[in-house]
Amino acid sequence: MDLEKQLSEIETMGNDHVGSSGDTPLRAEKIASIKKDVTHILETLGMDLTDDSLKGTPSRVAKMFVQEIFGGLHPDRKPKASTFENKYKYGEMLVEKNITLYSTCEHHLLPIVGKAHIAYVSNGTVVGLSKMNRIVDYYAKRPQVQERLTIQIVRELQEIMQTEDVACVIDAKHLCVNSRGIRDIDSSTVTSEFGGKFKNPETRREFLDYIKLETEF
Ligand SMILES: [Zn+2]
C-alpha cells in the first residue's frame, strides 16, 4: 500500500489500525509520529508550514528518516547472510575498496560521507562482493559514530564468514566538522578495525598498500 494512504488511514483510524497494512505498519506509525515532531520543530523555529514550499516538508523528512537515512535501524533490512564455498581455494587476501558510504553523525544528525575499505582472508567461505557494500550501507543507515560503524561492519562479516580475519578502514568527512563549528572543509576522519590475521603487521601493511593503489578505470 502506498505510504500516503497508510498514513491517512492511521490518522483516521486512531488506535484501531491493527491489520490495516500487510506491509509495514510499524514503519508507518514511526513516520506519522516523526512527521508531528518535525512539524513542531519547524513551527517552533517560526516557519510558516502553510507555505507551498514547506507544507510537505514534515512528511518528506519523516519518510526519509525512517525509510532511507535511518533505514538500517530496521532489522528486516539486514542483508541476508548468504555465503559460498571457496571452490577455487583462493587463500589470499580479498580487498573491496572505495565502497561509498553515507551515514549520519549521531551527535548532530548531520551527514558523514566517505569511503570504506574492507579485506578478508577466507577460511573456506566467501561472500558475494556486493554483500560487503550492502553491509556497509545497512550499518551506515543509522545515527552513527564512525568508530562503532567500523567495528559493526567487521563483526558482521566475521559472523557471516566464520573467521576473525576481517579488516575495515573508513575515511570519511563529517559535515558537523566541515560545514559548522570549526568549519574545516579539508579534514577527514580515519578509523580502522583489524581482526585476526590483520593484527599481524605484515598482513595489515599489505591491506593498507592495496587501498593506496590508485587504479585508473
Ligand atoms: Zn557530529
Side-chain angles (χ1 to χ4, degrees):
M1 192 194 298
D2 122 2
L3 246 151
E4 287 296 348
K5 219 167 151 198
Q6 277 189 48
L7 284 175
S8 67
E9 282 202 5
I10 281 168
E11 270 157 26
T12 51
M13 291 169 85
N15 290 323
D16 286 331
H17 54 259
V18 179
S20 66
S21 164
D23 296 334
T24 48
L26 182 67
R27 219 178 296 160
E29 277 173 32
K30 284 187 192 172
I31 290 172
S33 170
I34 293 172
K35 181 182 171 184
K36 277 186 207 146
D37 298 331
V38 175
T39 301
H40 179 68
I41 291 170
L42 292 175
E43 283 177 349
T44 306
L45 287 169
M47 308 293 284
D48 175 9
L49 294 191
T50 63
D51 190 277
D52 270 352
S53 168
L54 285 172
K55 66 181 182 205
T57 300
S59 66
R60 203 177 294 119
V61 171
K63 279 188 217 168
M64 179 184 71
F65 273 17
V66 174
Q67 297 182 322
E68 297 177 76
I69 68 173
F70 301 137
L73 290 170
H74 207 288
D76 289 356
R77 301 218 176 165
K78 189 165 166 174
K80 301 255 178 311
S82 51
T83 52
F84 309 93
E85 192 190 333
N86 180 7
K87 286 198 180 119
Y88 25 85
K89 303 291 172 215
Y90 178 75
E92 296 298 322
M93 180 186 307
L94 184 145
V95 179
E96 171 100 354
K97 65 177 194 169
N98 294 326
I99 299 171
T100 302
L101 174 153
Y102 288 100
S103 190
T104 306
C105 144
E106 71 181 18
H107 302 130
H108 300 90
L109 299 186
L110 283 173
I112 300 171
V113 184
K115 297 284 183 188
H117 314 282
I118 297 174
Y120 71 84
V121 179
S122 169
N123 71 353
T125 303
V126 293
V127 284
L129 296 178
S130 68
K131 181 75 70 189
M132 288 187 267
N133 300 60
R134 291 208 183 91
I135 288 166
V136 169
D137 196 54
Y138 172 69
Y139 286 104
K141 288 199 161 33
R142 299 173 173 194
Q144 272 290 12
V145 292
Q146 190 175 319
E147 296 90 327
R148 187 200 300 132
L149 174 60
T150 312
I151 293 168
Q152 284 176 330
I153 292 166
V154 168
R155 287 205 186 134
E156 181 67 25
L157 282 162
Q158 285 175 329
E159 170 92 21
I160 291 174
M161 288 188 290
Q162 291 295 300
T163 176
E164 289 294 301
D165 306 334
V166 179
C168 177
V169 169
I170 294 177
D171 187 1
K173 283 186 173 287
H174 291 235
L175 262 70
C176 58
V177 174
N178 301 138
S179 73
R180 54 159 294 287
I182 197 82
R183 291 200 195 181
D184 182 350
I185 191 83
D186 291 320
S187 64
S188 69
T189 304
V190 179
T191 47
S192 59
E193 174 76 2
F194 300 104
K197 288 180 180 161
F198 290 91
K199 292 190 190 299
N200 167 344
E202 259 175 55
T203 311
R204 181 183 304 197
R205 170 57 42 210
E206 185 185 341
F207 170 42
L208 296 177
D209 284 345
Y210 287 138
I211 65 180
K212 272 191 287 192
L213 280 181
E214 290 187 36
T215 320
E216 300 270 355
F217 294 100

